[in-house]
Amino acid sequence: MADPAPASALGDEQQLNTPDFTGEVETNNELPPQAVLRAIENHTVIDSSGKFHTFKSLYAGPNSARRILVIFVRHFFCGNCQEYLRTLSASITPEALLGLPASTFIAVIGCGSHELIDAYVRETGCPFPVYADPTRKLYTDLGMVRTLSMGAHPAYLTRTVAHTVFSGIAQGLRQVKNGLATKSGDQKQVGGEFLFEPVSGTLGTPISTPLIGPDGDDGEKEGGGGGEAEKSGGELGLDGNGGNRAREEKCVTWCHRMRTTRDHAEIPELMEILGLEGAGAPGKNTRRWQKALTTRKGTGLTMASQMSRGSSDTAKTAVTDSG
């Protein structure tokens, strides 16, 4: 059965550009409504081994983290996005996320063939799971658009334009013998970042038995997915810690859609919305780094503010007890 056609994440009257646009995209960062999330929850993504997973299983599987930041990158040979993941991985580690009051993790989705994921992970050193959406249905239905405009130079890019371009070309040439040189994904497609959190907006973790299918089935299907992928059971969580055992309803509490090919949200902003302390490893260019520290691209209100209040209350209690 075909996936239901969702309403545009931006709305017909609010769609500021056609999906294919040659300049800097004047899109907006309106949060996708629940109706859109329900319409796309059974869209499928593919992991490196060729197994299909429903999109919803990434952020609301029975054992997934309660908070999931989904990062949509461009094609798998994009040097800019690869540099983004290298910079992100140096500042935001799985260990750092495990220290947060609410289980939190990251998933990455690209628009090329799943057969390139292993090479992509080796190239970027990304410690988070990477999936493929070669149909680009998620990109389209979540309001992400297409452009080749480069835009301003971000702080997360430490290499030159020439280096990133030639690196991508070299990676493509290495895949010629495998027949994958033309399967990296749509060159014009740009991505964005979407943070999924419980609709309840509370830090308290629900207690429930993990929902795993018969004989330990985790709901994966090999060679095909579709809307049936998760009906027989749940998907093992991205963080492996059973953080979402009660199948909490999730919503997008913060998002950012790229306007150009190198317009990902900067690392200080991601650390802020995730509730991590600090701003990450400083960029090499002082002016760009200062801009990254003060400029915010995304829109929304996350559970990070509760984490800050909780840390403050804990510190006050400790001082009182010691007194």
Side-chain angles (χ1 to χ4, degrees), residues 220-305:
E220 298 172 342
K221 282 194 173 184
E222 189 169 354
E228 302 297 319
E230 311 305 325
K231 288 186 178 179
S232 63
E235 182 120 358
L236 290 177
L238 294 177
D239 66 345
N241 288 322
N244 187 42
R245 296 180 176 181
R247 284 186 184 266
E248 294 176 282
E249 184 179 2
K250 301 293 180 65
C251 63
V252 175
T253 58
W254 175 93
C255 79
H256 163 253
R257 297 178 180 88
M258 295 172 68
R259 298 169 181 264
T260 67
T261 60
R262 50 185 190 178
D263 184 40
H264 280 291
E266 294 279 12
I267 306 305
E269 182 170 8
L270 292 190
M271 296 187 69
E272 181 179 281
I273 61 109
L274 289 174
L276 294 169
E277 295 184 359
K284 294 181 179 180
N285 184 289
T286 302
R287 179 180 58 81
R288 292 173 192 149
W289 178 245
Q290 287 300 320
K291 183 177 179 180
L293 290 173
T294 57
T295 302
R296 294 295 176 261
K297 297 180 178 180
T299 300
L301 181 63
T302 78
M303 293 167 62
S305 58

Side-chain angles (χ1 to χ4, degrees), residues 64-80:
S64 64
R66 298 188 68 214
R67 308 168 71 227
I68 293 287
L69 176 66
V70 181
I71 298 175
F72 288 87
V73 296
R74 297 180 65 233
H75 59 88
F76 283 134
F77 294 153
C78 175
N80 293 333

Side-chain angles (χ1 to χ4, degrees), residues 39-237:
I40 67 174
E41 62 184 22
N42 286 326
H43 286 4
T44 53
V45 294
I46 316 171
D47 66 23
S48 61
S49 64
K51 292 180 180 179
F52 284 68
H53 308 258
T54 62
F55 179 53
K56 185 176 182 179
S57 71
L58 270 59
Y59 62 85
N63 293 321
S64 64
R66 298 188 68 214
R67 308 168 71 227
I68 293 287
L69 176 66
V70 181
I71 298 175
F72 288 87
V73 296
R74 297 180 65 233
H75 59 88
F76 283 134
F77 294 153
C78 175
N80 293 333
C81 289
Q82 291 178 3
E83 186 73 356
Y84 181 65
L85 290 182
R86 292 189 195 98
T87 304
L88 179 146
S89 300
S91 297
I92 303 176
T93 64
E95 293 75 20
L97 296 177
L98 286 173
L100 293 173
S103 59
T104 305
F105 217 60
I106 293 173
V108 178
I109 298 177
C111 63
S113 169
H114 72 277
E115 296 175 278
L116 289 168
I117 291 177
D118 286 340
Y120 191 76
V121 171
R122 287 194 298 271
E123 187 68 32
T124 61
C126 180
F128 304 107
V130 179
Y131 300 89
D133 173 24
T135 68
R136 297 188 297 109
K137 285 184 179 180
L138 289 170
Y139 289 80
T140 301
D141 294 342
L142 284 172
M144 289 169 277
V145 293
R146 301 172 71 243
T147 182
L148 287 175
S149 175
M150 294 175 62
H153 196 300
Y156 62 79
L157 283 184
T158 59
R159 301 181 181 182
T160 65
V161 173
H163 186 283
T164 56
V165 170
F166 285 115
S167 174
I169 293 174
Q171 291 173 49
L173 292 175
R174 288 197 293 271
Q175 295 296 339
V176 170
K177 62 180 180 180
N178 300 323
L180 299 173
T182 60
K183 296 183 178 181
S184 65
D186 190 324
Q187 302 285 309
K188 285 188 175 182
Q189 183 67 61
V190 295
E193 304 82 34
F194 296 77
L195 180 61
F196 290 81
E197 295 184 315
V199 170
S200 65
T202 60
L203 286 177
T205 303
I207 300 175
S208 180
T209 302
L211 299 176
I212 303 298
D215 301 320
D217 177 22
D218 66 357
E220 298 172 342
K221 282 194 173 184
E222 189 169 354
E228 302 297 319
E230 311 305 325
K231 288 186 178 179
S232 63
E235 182 120 358
L236 290 177

Side-chain angles (χ1 to χ4, degrees), residues 8-29 139-140 143-147 149 190 257-260:
S8 169
L10 300 179
D12 293 338
E13 296 180 356
Q14 297 166 323
Q15 185 80 31
L16 303 180
N17 297 105
T18 58
D20 190 353
F21 190 68
T22 56
E24 181 170 318
V25 180
E26 293 298 330
T27 187
N28 63 47
N29 293 316
Y139 289 80
T140 301
M144 289 169 277
V145 293
R146 301 172 71 243
T147 182
S149 175
V190 295
R257 297 178 180 88
M258 295 172 68
R259 298 169 181 264
T260 67

